[in-house]
Amino acid sequence: MTGAATFYVTTPIYYVNDKPHIGHAYTTLACDVIARFKRLDGFDVKFLTGTDEHGQKVEKSAEAAGLAPLELANRNSANFRELAGILGCSNDDFIRTTEDRHRIACQALWNELVKRGEIYLGAYEGWYSVRDEAFYGEDELIAGTGGTKLAPTGAPVEWVKEPSYFFRLSAWQDRLLKWYEEQPDCVGPASRRNEVMSFVKGGLQDLSVSRTSFKWGIPVPGDDAHIMYVWLDALTNYITAVGYPDTSGGYARYWPNVLHMVGKDIVRFHAVYWPAFLMAAGLAPPRRVFAHGWWTNEGQKISKSVGNVIDPLTLIETYGLDQVRYFMLREVPFGNDGDFSHRAMVNRMNGELANDYGNLAQRVLSMIAKNCGGTVPSPGPISDDDRELLDAGYGLLGRLREAIDRQLYHEALEAIWVVVRAGNGYVDRQAPWGLKKTDPARMATVLWVLAETIRLLALATQPFMPTSSGRMLDQLAVSADRRHYGCFDSVNALKAGTPLPAPQGVFPRFVEDAAAG
Ligand code: ME8
C-alpha cells in the first residue's frame, strides 16, 4: 500500500462512566462505513476508536460504584471494545487514555505548549460542569428549578476556585477564524461551521487546562499538584495513535489528513479547542470535523432516567447487524437529528432490504440456477434498455465518492437504491421468465445484465452491509480479490460460464409475531 493516498478517521473516545448505547454505536458505524469505503477505493486507511478514561466524571462514577477509577475504566472500556467487534467494525486501533503511549504524548504536547509560551499559571474561578467536563461563562448558564443554575446542556454546574494553568486560547481567535475561512470544509455540516464561527467571533477566553481538586488524570509535567484538563488529555488521543511525539512514522503518514467524526454535543471541543492546541504546538489542524445529529427513541430524548436507553446489542439481536447498520445510515440525513422507532426499522428492513434489493437478487439468481445451468449466462447483443441499466450501475461509484466525501451517507444509499429500483423496473419490463421458450438467447442477455447489475450493487453496499454484500458476491462467484473499487467497471464484468453456487436469500423479512413471541 505504500504510495497510496492516506485517510485517517476517528470516533470520539467514549467516556467509561457508562455503558455503550445507540448513540455511540451510530458514530462508530458512520466511521466504519467511510473506513471501509476508502479501503475499497484504494486508500491507505487508519480507523481509530477508543475510550476516554480520566477526569472527575469517571472518578465520581467509580466512587459511586465502589471501584477504583482504573477498575471501572477496565470494565467499561472492554464493553466499548466489544461493541466495536459486535458492530462489525474494522478499526485498526483502540486507544485507552490510561495507556503509557498516551501519557507520553500528552506530556510532550504540554511541554511543547509551555515551551512556546502558550500555557501560563493562574487561578480559575468560575462554573464547571462535571457531567459535560466543561467550563461555562455566567452568560451561558440557564435557569434550573428553585433558582439553581444549569449548563446550556441542562447539566448541573458547580463553582470552582483553584489554581490552574491556562492555555492562551484568546490569542487564537483570529487564526481560528482564518482557518474556517480558508478551509471551508474543515467543519461540517455548514450549519455547524456557522455556529462555531459565531462562537469564536463572540470572543474567546483563555482556557483552564489543569485541575488540582482531584487526582484521576495525567499529571502536569513538573507540577504534580495539577492534572491536565480531561479535554486536553482526551483530544490528544488522535495524535497519540499516530505515534506523537514521534512525528516521523504514522504521524507523517496520516496527519493531518484526518476526519474527526463527532456528535453535535462536542463540536466546540473539536472545532475550536483542538485546532487551537495543535496550531499553538506548531502542528497542523485536522482536515475535517463532522458533527452528526442526535438520536431519540420513539420521539423521546434518550436518557437513563427515562429508562429508554437503546442497547445496540438488543437491536442487533432483534433485527440483524447489517439491517441495523443500513437503517441507521439510511433513515436520517446525516447531520440531522433522528428518531429510532421499531416501525421505521421494520419498514426499511422489509421494504428496501427484503423486497427491493433481496428479492431482486433472489429472483435473478434462482432464474439463473434453473435456466442457465447454474453458470453466469452468456450475453448477446445489448439493447438500449440493457445499456441504460448497466450505465446506471457503472456510474454509481462516482456518485458514492461524492456523497461519502461529504459524509452524506443517506445520499449514497439513495443513489444505490435508484439502481435497485431501476433493476426491478427492468425485470418487470423485460420479463425474462417469459423468454425461456420464445427467445432463450435474449433471456440469457437479460439475466446477465441483471447479474452484472447485482454485482455492482453488492460492491456498492459492502461498506454499509459487509456480511450480506459479501454473501451476495459469493453467490456471483466474485473472488475476494475482485471486490475492491478498481473492479467497479465493465472490464471486470461477470464472465459467462462461471459456475455459481446455489442461491440463498440474503435479506430476511422481519416477522412481527416471531419477535413478540
Ligand atoms: O463526549 N445520538 O464521550 P461520550 C447520537 N469522552 N450520538 C450520540 C448520542 C445520541 N443520543 N449519545 C452519544 C465524550 N452519542 C468525550 C469525547 S473525544 C476526544 C472525547 C455519541 O461518551 C456522539 O458521537 O459522552 C457523541 O459526540 C459521543 O457519543 C459522546 O460520547
Coordinates of all heavy atoms in Angstrom, one line a residue, residues 223-307:
D223 N 4.8 19.6 37.7 CA 3.9 20.2 38.8 C 2.8 19.2 39.1 O 1.7 19.3 38.7 CB 3.3 21.5 38.3 CG 2.7 22.3 39.4 OD1 2.5 21.7 40.5 OD2 2.3 23.5 39.2
D224 N 3.2 18.2 39.9 CA 2.3 17.1 40.2 C 1.0 17.4 40.9 O 0.0 16.6 41.0 CB 3.0 16.0 41.1 CG 3.8 15.1 40.3 OD1 3.9 15.3 39.0 OD2 4.5 14.2 40.8
A225 N 0.9 18.7 41.5 CA -0.3 19.1 42.2 C -1.4 19.2 41.1 O -2.6 19.2 41.5 CB -0.1 20.4 42.9
H226 N -1.1 19.4 39.9 CA -2.1 19.6 38.8 C -2.2 18.4 37.9 O -1.2 17.7 37.6 CB -1.6 20.8 37.9 CG -1.7 22.1 38.6 ND1 -2.6 23.1 38.3 CD2 -0.8 22.6 39.5 CE1 -2.4 24.1 39.0 NE2 -1.3 23.9 39.8
I227 N -3.4 18.1 37.6 CA -3.6 17.1 36.5 C -4.2 17.9 35.3 O -4.9 18.9 35.4 CB -4.5 15.9 36.9 CG1 -5.9 16.4 37.3 CG2 -3.9 15.1 38.0 CD1 -6.9 15.4 36.9
M228 N -3.9 17.3 34.1 CA -4.4 18.0 32.9 C -5.9 18.0 32.8 O -6.5 17.0 33.1 CB -3.8 17.3 31.7 CG -2.4 17.6 31.5 SD -1.9 16.8 30.0 CE -0.1 16.6 30.4
Y229 N -6.5 19.0 32.3 CA -7.9 19.1 31.9 C -8.2 17.9 31.0 O -7.5 17.7 30.1 CB -8.2 20.4 31.3 CG -9.6 20.6 30.7 CD1 -10.7 20.2 31.4 CD2 -9.8 21.3 29.5 CE1 -12.0 20.4 30.9 CE2 -11.0 21.6 29.0 CZ -12.1 21.1 29.7 OH -13.4 21.3 29.2
V230 N -9.3 17.2 31.4 CA -9.6 16.0 30.7 C -9.8 16.2 29.1 O -9.5 15.3 28.4 CB -10.8 15.2 31.3 CG1 -12.1 16.0 31.1 CG2 -10.9 13.8 30.8
W231 N -10.2 17.3 28.7 CA -10.4 17.5 27.3 C -9.0 17.7 26.5 O -8.9 17.3 25.4 CB -11.4 18.6 26.9 CG -12.8 18.1 26.9 CD1 -13.7 18.2 27.8 CD2 -13.4 17.4 25.8 NE1 -14.9 17.6 27.4 CE2 -14.7 17.1 26.2 CE3 -12.9 17.0 24.5 CZ2 -15.6 16.5 25.3 CZ3 -13.8 16.3 23.7 CH2 -15.1 16.1 24.1
L232 N -8.1 18.3 27.2 CA -6.8 18.4 26.6 C -6.2 17.0 26.4 O -5.6 16.6 25.4 CB -5.8 19.3 27.4 CG -4.4 19.4 26.9 CD1 -4.3 19.9 25.5 CD2 -3.6 20.4 27.8
D233 N -6.3 16.3 27.5 CA -5.9 14.9 27.5 C -6.6 14.1 26.4 O -6.0 13.4 25.6 CB -6.2 14.4 29.0 CG -6.2 12.9 29.2 OD1 -6.3 12.1 28.2 OD2 -6.2 12.4 30.4
A234 N -7.9 14.1 26.4 CA -8.7 13.3 25.5 C -8.4 13.6 24.0 O -8.2 12.7 23.2 CB -10.2 13.5 25.8
L235 N -8.4 14.9 23.7 CA -8.3 15.3 22.3 C -6.9 14.8 21.7 O -6.8 14.4 20.6 CB -8.4 16.8 22.1 CG -9.8 17.3 22.3 CD1 -9.9 18.8 22.6 CD2 -10.7 17.0 21.0
T236 N -5.9 14.8 22.6 CA -4.6 14.4 22.2 C -4.5 12.9 21.7 O -3.7 12.5 21.0 CB -3.6 14.6 23.4 OG1 -3.7 16.0 23.7 CG2 -2.2 14.3 23.0
N237 N -5.6 12.1 22.1 CA -5.5 10.7 21.6 C -5.4 10.6 20.1 O -4.8 9.6 19.7 CB -6.8 10.0 22.1 CG -7.9 10.0 21.1 OD1 -8.0 9.2 20.2 ND2 -8.8 11.0 21.1
Y238 N -5.9 11.6 19.4 CA -5.9 11.5 17.9 C -4.5 11.5 17.4 O -4.2 10.9 16.3 CB -6.7 12.6 17.3 CG -8.2 12.6 17.7 CD1 -8.8 13.8 18.2 CD2 -9.0 11.5 17.7 CE1 -10.1 13.8 18.6 CE2 -10.3 11.5 18.1 CZ -10.8 12.7 18.5 OH -12.2 12.7 18.9
I239 N -3.6 12.2 18.1 CA -2.2 12.2 17.6 C -1.3 11.1 18.4 O -0.4 10.6 17.8 CB -1.5 13.5 17.7 CG1 -1.6 14.2 19.0 CG2 -2.1 14.5 16.6 CD1 -0.8 15.5 19.1
T240 N -1.8 10.7 19.6 CA -1.1 9.6 20.3 C -1.1 8.4 19.3 O -0.1 7.7 19.2 CB -1.8 9.2 21.5 OG1 -2.0 10.3 22.4 CG2 -1.1 8.0 22.2
A241 N -2.3 8.2 18.7 CA -2.4 6.9 18.0 C -1.7 6.9 16.7 O -1.5 5.8 16.1 CB -3.9 6.7 17.7
V242 N -1.1 8.0 16.2 CA -0.3 8.0 15.1 C 1.2 8.2 15.5 O 2.0 8.6 14.7 CB -0.7 9.0 14.0 CG1 -1.9 8.5 13.3 CG2 -0.9 10.4 14.5
G243 N 1.5 8.0 16.8 CA 2.8 8.0 17.3 C 3.4 9.2 17.9 O 4.6 9.2 18.3
Y244 N 2.7 10.3 17.9 CA 3.2 11.5 18.6 C 3.7 11.2 19.9 O 3.1 10.4 20.6 CB 2.1 12.6 18.6 CG 2.6 13.9 19.2 CD1 3.2 14.8 18.3 CD2 2.5 14.2 20.5 CE1 3.6 16.1 18.8 CE2 2.9 15.5 21.0 CZ 3.5 16.4 20.1 OH 4.0 17.6 20.6
P245 N 4.9 11.7 20.4 CA 5.6 12.8 19.8 C 6.6 12.5 18.7 O 7.2 13.4 18.2 CB 6.4 13.3 21.1 CG 6.5 12.1 22.0 CD 5.3 11.3 21.7
D246 N 6.6 11.2 18.3 CA 7.4 10.9 17.1 C 6.6 11.4 15.9 O 5.5 10.9 15.6 CB 7.7 9.4 17.0 CG 8.4 9.0 15.8 OD1 8.7 9.9 15.0 OD2 8.6 7.8 15.6
T247 N 7.2 12.4 15.2 CA 6.4 12.9 14.0 C 6.9 12.4 12.7 O 6.6 12.9 11.7 CB 6.5 14.5 14.0 OG1 7.9 14.8 14.1 CG2 5.7 15.1 15.2
S248 N 7.6 11.2 12.8 CA 8.1 10.7 11.5 C 7.2 9.6 11.0 O 6.5 9.8 9.9 CB 9.5 10.2 11.7 OG 9.6 9.2 12.7
G249 N 7.0 8.5 11.7 CA 6.3 7.3 11.2 C 4.8 7.6 10.8 O 4.4 8.2 9.8
G250 N 3.9 7.1 11.7 CA 2.5 7.1 11.5 C 2.0 8.6 11.4 O 1.1 8.9 10.6
Y251 N 2.6 9.4 12.2 CA 2.2 10.8 12.2 C 2.4 11.4 10.8 O 1.5 12.1 10.2 CB 3.0 11.6 13.3 CG 2.6 13.1 13.3 CD1 1.6 13.5 14.2 CD2 3.1 14.0 12.5 CE1 1.2 14.8 14.3 CE2 2.8 15.4 12.6 CZ 1.8 15.8 13.4 OH 1.4 17.1 13.5
A252 N 3.6 11.2 10.3 CA 3.9 11.8 9.0 C 3.0 11.2 7.9 O 2.6 11.9 6.9 CB 5.4 11.6 8.6
R253 N 2.7 9.9 8.1 CA 1.9 9.2 7.1 C 0.4 9.7 7.1 O -0.2 9.9 6.1 CB 2.0 7.7 7.4 CG 1.3 6.8 6.5 CD 1.8 5.4 6.7 NE 0.9 4.4 6.3 CZ 1.0 3.1 6.6 NH1 2.0 2.7 7.4 NH2 0.2 2.2 6.2
Y254 N -0.2 9.8 8.3 CA -1.6 10.1 8.4 C -2.1 11.5 8.8 O -3.2 11.9 8.6 CB -2.2 9.1 9.4 CG -2.2 7.7 8.9 CD1 -1.4 6.7 9.5 CD2 -3.0 7.3 7.8 CE1 -1.3 5.4 9.1 CE2 -3.0 6.0 7.4 CZ -2.2 5.0 8.0 OH -2.1 3.7 7.6
W255 N -1.2 12.2 9.4 CA -1.6 13.5 9.9 C -1.2 14.6 8.9 O -0.1 14.6 8.4 CB -1.0 13.8 11.3 CG -1.7 14.9 12.0 CD1 -1.4 16.3 12.0 CD2 -2.9 14.8 12.8 NE1 -2.3 17.0 12.7 CE2 -3.2 16.1 13.2 CE3 -3.7 13.7 13.1 CZ2 -4.4 16.3 13.9 CZ3 -4.8 13.9 13.9 CH2 -5.2 15.2 14.3
P256 N -2.1 15.6 8.6 CA -3.4 15.9 9.2 C -4.5 15.5 8.3 O -5.6 16.0 8.5 CB -3.3 17.4 9.3 CG -2.6 17.8 8.1 CD -1.6 16.7 7.8
N257 N -4.4 14.5 7.5 CA -5.5 14.1 6.6 C -6.5 13.3 7.4 O -6.7 12.1 7.1 CB -5.0 13.4 5.3 CG -6.1 13.3 4.3 OD1 -7.0 14.1 4.4 ND2 -6.0 12.4 3.4
V258 N -7.1 13.9 8.3 CA -8.0 13.1 9.3 C -9.4 13.7 9.3 O -9.6 14.9 9.1 CB -7.4 13.2 10.7 CG1 -7.3 14.7 11.2 CG2 -8.1 12.4 11.7
L259 N -10.3 12.8 9.4 CA -11.7 13.2 9.6 C -12.1 12.8 11.1 O -12.1 11.6 11.4 CB -12.6 12.4 8.7 CG -14.1 12.5 8.9 CD1 -14.7 13.9 8.8 CD2 -14.9 11.5 8.0
H260 N -12.4 13.8 11.9 CA -12.9 13.6 13.2 C -14.4 13.5 13.2 O -15.1 14.6 13.0 CB -12.5 14.6 14.2 CG -11.0 14.7 14.5 ND1 -10.2 13.6 14.7 CD2 -10.2 15.8 14.5 CE1 -9.0 14.0 14.9 NE2 -8.9 15.3 14.8
M261 N -15.0 12.4 13.4 CA -16.5 12.3 13.4 C -16.9 12.4 14.8 O -16.4 11.7 15.7 CB -16.8 10.9 12.9 CG -18.3 10.7 12.6 SD -18.8 11.6 11.2 CE -18.3 10.4 9.9
V262 N -17.8 13.3 15.1 CA -18.3 13.6 16.4 C -19.8 13.8 16.4 O -20.4 14.1 15.4 CB -17.6 14.8 17.1 CG1 -16.1 14.6 17.2 CG2 -17.9 16.1 16.3
G263 N -20.4 13.8 17.6 CA -21.8 14.2 17.7 C -21.8 15.7 17.9 O -20.8 16.3 18.3
K264 N -23.0 16.3 17.7 CA -23.1 17.8 17.7 C -22.8 18.4 19.1 O -22.5 19.5 19.3 CB -24.4 18.3 17.3 CG -25.6 17.8 18.2 CD -26.9 18.3 17.6 CE -28.0 17.9 18.6 NZ -29.4 18.4 18.1
D265 N -22.8 17.5 20.2 CA -22.6 18.0 21.5 C -21.1 18.4 21.8 O -20.9 19.1 22.7 CB -23.0 16.9 22.5 CG -22.3 15.5 22.2 OD1 -22.1 15.2 21.1 OD2 -22.0 14.8 23.2
I266 N -20.2 17.9 21.0 CA -18.8 18.1 21.3 C -18.1 18.8 20.2 O -16.9 18.7 20.0 CB -18.1 16.8 21.7 CG1 -18.3 15.7 20.7 CG2 -18.7 16.3 23.1 CD1 -17.5 14.4 21.0
V267 N -18.8 19.5 19.4 CA -18.2 20.2 18.2 C -17.3 21.3 18.7 O -16.2 21.5 18.1 CB -19.3 20.6 17.2 CG1 -20.1 21.8 17.7 CG2 -18.7 21.0 15.9
R268 N -17.6 22.0 19.7 CA -16.8 23.1 20.2 C -15.4 22.6 20.6 O -14.4 23.3 20.3 CB -17.4 23.8 21.4 CG -16.7 25.0 21.8 CD -17.3 25.6 23.1 NE -18.6 26.2 23.0 CZ -19.3 26.8 23.9 NH1 -18.7 27.0 25.1 NH2 -20.5 27.3 23.7
F269 N -15.3 21.5 21.3 CA -14.0 21.0 21.7 C -13.2 20.6 20.5 O -12.0 20.8 20.5 CB -14.2 19.7 22.6 CG -15.0 20.0 23.8 CD1 -16.4 19.7 23.8 CD2 -14.4 20.5 24.9 CE1 -17.1 20.0 25.0 CE2 -15.2 20.8 26.1 CZ -16.5 20.6 26.1
H270 N -13.8 20.0 19.4 CA -13.1 19.6 18.3 C -12.8 20.6 17.3 O -11.8 20.5 16.5 CB -13.9 18.4 17.6 CG -13.8 17.1 18.3 ND1 -14.5 16.9 19.4 CD2 -12.9 16.1 18.2 CE1 -14.2 15.7 19.9 NE2 -13.2 15.2 19.2
A271 N -13.7 21.6 17.2 CA -13.5 22.6 16.1 C -13.0 23.9 16.6 O -12.7 24.8 15.8 CB -14.8 22.8 15.4
V272 N -12.8 24.1 17.9 CA -12.3 25.3 18.4 C -11.0 25.0 19.3 O -9.9 25.4 18.9 CB -13.3 26.1 19.3 CG1 -12.6 27.4 19.8 CG2 -14.5 26.4 18.5
Y273 N -11.2 24.3 20.4 CA -10.0 24.0 21.2 C -8.9 23.2 20.6 O -7.8 23.5 20.6 CB -10.5 23.2 22.5 CG -11.5 23.9 23.4 CD1 -12.2 23.3 24.4 CD2 -11.8 25.3 23.2 CE1 -13.1 23.9 25.2 CE2 -12.8 25.9 24.0 CZ -13.4 25.2 24.9 OH -14.4 25.8 25.7
W274 N -9.4 22.1 19.9 CA -8.4 21.2 19.4 C -7.5 21.8 18.3 O -6.3 21.8 18.4 CB -9.1 19.9 18.9 CG -8.3 18.8 18.3 CD1 -8.6 18.1 17.1 CD2 -7.1 18.2 18.8 NE1 -7.6 17.2 16.9 CE2 -6.7 17.2 17.9 CE3 -6.3 18.5 19.9 CZ2 -5.5 16.4 18.0 CZ3 -5.1 17.7 20.1 CH2 -4.8 16.7 19.2
P275 N -8.1 22.5 17.3 CA -7.2 23.1 16.3 C -6.3 24.2 16.9 O -5.2 24.4 16.5 CB -8.2 23.7 15.2 CG -9.5 23.6 15.8 CD -9.5 22.5 16.9
A276 N -6.8 24.9 17.9 CA -6.0 25.9 18.6 C -4.8 25.2 19.3 O -3.7 25.7 19.2 CB -6.9 26.7 19.6
F277 N -5.1 24.1 20.1 CA -4.0 23.4 20.7 C -2.9 23.0 19.7 O -1.7 23.2 19.9 CB -4.5 22.1 21.4 CG -5.4 22.3 22.6 CD1 -6.3 21.3 22.9 CD2 -5.4 23.4 23.4 CE1 -7.2 21.4 24.0 CE2 -6.2 23.6 24.5 CZ -7.2 22.6 24.8
L278 N -3.4 22.4 18.6 CA -2.5 21.9 17.6 C -1.7 23.1 17.0 O -0.4 23.0 16.9 CB -3.2 21.2 16.5 CG -3.8 19.8 16.9 CD1 -4.8 19.3 15.9 CD2 -2.6 18.8 17.1
M279 N -2.3 24.1 16.5 CA -1.6 25.2 15.9 C -0.6 25.8 16.9 O 0.5 26.2 16.5 CB -2.6 26.2 15.3 CG -3.4 25.7 14.2 SD -4.3 27.0 13.2 CE -5.8 27.1 14.1
A280 N -1.1 25.9 18.1 CA -0.2 26.5 19.1 C 1.1 25.7 19.4 O 2.1 26.2 19.8 CB -1.0 26.7 20.5
A281 N 1.0 24.4 19.1 CA 2.1 23.5 19.3 C 2.9 23.4 18.0 O 3.8 22.5 17.9 CB 1.7 22.1 19.8
G282 N 2.5 24.1 17.0 CA 3.2 24.1 15.7 C 2.8 22.9 14.9 O 3.5 22.5 14.0
L283 N 1.6 22.3 15.2 CA 1.2 21.1 14.4 C 0.0 21.5 13.6 O -0.7 22.5 13.9 CB 0.7 20.0 15.4 CG 1.8 19.6 16.4 CD1 1.2 18.6 17.4 CD2 3.0 18.9 15.7
A284 N -0.3 20.8 12.5 CA -1.4 21.1 11.6 C -2.7 20.7 12.2 O -2.8 19.7 12.8 CB -1.2 20.4 10.3
P285 N -3.7 21.6 12.0 CA -5.1 21.2 12.5 C -5.7 20.1 11.6 O -5.2 19.9 10.5 CB -5.9 22.6 12.3 CG -5.2 23.3 11.2 CD -3.7 22.9 11.3
P286 N -6.7 19.5 12.1 CA -7.3 18.4 11.3 C -7.9 18.9 10.0 O -8.3 20.0 9.9 CB -8.4 17.8 12.3 CG -8.7 19.0 13.2 CD -7.5 19.7 13.4
R287 N -8.0 18.0 9.1 CA -8.6 18.3 7.8 C -10.1 18.6 7.9 O -10.6 19.5 7.3 CB -8.4 17.2 6.8 CG -8.8 17.5 5.4 CD -7.7 18.3 4.6 NE -6.6 17.5 4.2 CZ -5.3 17.9 4.3 NH1 -5.1 19.1 4.7 NH2 -4.3 17.1 4.0
R288 N -10.8 17.8 8.7 CA -12.2 18.0 8.8 C -12.8 17.4 10.1 O -12.4 16.4 10.6 CB -12.9 17.2 7.6 CG -14.4 17.4 7.5 CD -14.8 17.0 6.1 NE -16.2 16.8 5.9 CZ -17.1 17.8 5.6 NH1 -16.7 19.0 5.5 NH2 -18.3 17.5 5.3
V289 N -13.8 18.2 10.6 CA -14.5 17.7 11.8 C -16.0 17.7 11.3 O -16.5 18.7 10.8 CB -14.4 18.7 13.0 CG1 -15.4 18.3 14.1 CG2 -13.0 18.8 13.4
F290 N -16.6 16.5 11.4 CA -18.0 16.5 11.0 C -18.9 16.1 12.2 O -18.6 15.1 12.9 CB -18.3 15.4 9.9 CG -19.7 15.5 9.3 CD1 -19.9 16.3 8.2 CD2 -20.8 14.9 10.0 CE1 -21.2 16.4 7.7 CE2 -22.0 15.1 9.5 CZ -22.3 15.8 8.3
A291 N -19.9 16.9 12.5 CA -20.8 16.7 13.7 C -22.1 16.2 13.2 O -22.8 16.9 12.5 CB -20.9 18.0 14.4
H292 N -22.5 15.0 13.6 CA -23.8 14.5 13.3 C -24.8 14.8 14.3 O -24.5 15.4 15.4 CB -23.7 13.0 13.0 CG -23.3 12.2 14.2 ND1 -24.1 12.1 15.3 CD2 -22.2 11.4 14.5 CE1 -23.5 11.3 16.2 NE2 -22.4 10.9 15.7
G293 N -26.1 14.5 14.0 CA -27.2 14.8 14.9 C -27.4 13.8 16.0 O -26.6 12.9 16.3
W294 N -28.5 14.0 16.7 CA -28.8 13.3 17.9 C -30.0 12.3 17.7 O -31.0 12.7 17.0 CB -29.3 14.4 18.9 CG -28.7 14.1 20.3 CD1 -29.5 13.9 21.4 CD2 -27.4 13.9 20.7 NE1 -28.7 13.6 22.5 CE2 -27.4 13.6 22.1 CE3 -26.2 13.9 20.0 CZ2 -26.2 13.3 22.8 CZ3 -25.0 13.6 20.7 CH2 -25.0 13.4 22.1
W295 N -29.9 11.1 18.3 CA -30.9 10.1 18.2 C -31.9 10.3 19.3 O -31.4 10.4 20.5 CB -30.4 8.7 18.1 CG -29.9 8.3 16.8 CD1 -28.6 8.5 16.4 CD2 -30.6 7.8 15.7 NE1 -28.5 8.1 15.1 CE2 -29.7 7.6 14.7 CE3 -31.9 7.3 15.6 CZ2 -30.1 7.0 13.4 CZ3 -32.3 6.8 14.4 CH2 -31.4 6.6 13.3
T296 N -33.2 10.1 19.0 CA -34.2 10.0 20.1 C -34.8 8.6 19.9 O -34.6 8.0 18.9 CB -35.2 11.1 20.0 OG1 -35.7 11.1 18.6 CG2 -34.7 12.5 20.3
N297 N -35.5 8.2 21.0 CA -36.2 6.9 20.9 C -37.7 7.0 20.9 O -38.2 7.6 21.9 CB -35.7 6.1 22.2 CG -36.3 4.7 22.2 OD1 -37.0 4.2 21.2 ND2 -36.0 3.9 23.2
E298 N -38.3 6.6 19.8 CA -39.8 6.8 19.7 C -40.2 8.2 20.1 O -41.1 8.4 20.8 CB -40.6 5.7 20.5 CG -40.1 4.3 20.3 CD -40.8 3.6 19.1 OE1 -41.7 4.2 18.5 OE2 -40.4 2.4 18.7
G299 N -39.4 9.2 19.6 CA -39.7 10.6 19.8 C -39.2 11.2 21.1 O -39.3 12.4 21.3
Q300 N -38.6 10.4 22.0 CA -38.2 10.9 23.3 C -36.7 10.9 23.4 O -36.0 10.1 22.9 CB -38.7 9.9 24.4 CG -40.1 10.3 24.9 CD -40.3 9.6 26.2 OE1 -40.0 8.4 26.4 NE2 -40.7 10.4 27.2
K301 N -36.2 12.0 24.1 CA -34.8 12.1 24.4 C -34.3 10.8 25.1 O -35.0 10.3 26.0 CB -34.5 13.3 25.3 CG -33.1 13.6 25.6 CD -33.0 14.9 26.4 CE -31.7 15.4 26.7 NZ -30.6 14.9 27.0
I302 N -33.2 10.3 24.7 CA -32.7 9.0 25.3 C -32.0 9.4 26.6 O -31.0 10.2 26.6 CB -31.7 8.3 24.3 CG1 -32.4 8.0 23.0 CG2 -31.0 7.1 25.0 CD1 -31.5 7.4 22.0
S303 N -32.4 8.8 27.7 CA -31.7 9.1 28.9 C -32.0 7.9 29.9 O -33.0 7.3 29.9 CB -32.2 10.4 29.5 OG -33.2 10.2 30.5
K304 N -31.0 7.8 30.8 CA -31.1 6.7 31.8 C -32.2 6.9 32.7 O -32.9 6.0 33.1 CB -29.7 6.6 32.6 CG -28.8 5.6 32.0 CD -27.9 5.0 33.0 CE -27.0 6.0 33.7 NZ -25.8 5.4 34.3
S305 N -32.5 8.2 33.0 CA -33.6 8.4 34.0 C -34.9 8.1 33.4 O -35.8 7.6 34.1 CB -33.5 9.8 34.6 OG -33.4 10.8 33.5
V306 N -35.1 8.4 32.1 CA -36.4 8.0 31.4 C -36.4 6.5 31.2 O -37.5 5.9 31.1 CB -36.5 8.7 30.0 CG1 -37.8 8.3 29.3 CG2 -36.4 10.2 30.2
G307 N -35.3 5.8 31.2 CA -35.2 4.4 31.1 C -35.5 3.9 29.7 O -36.0 2.8 29.4

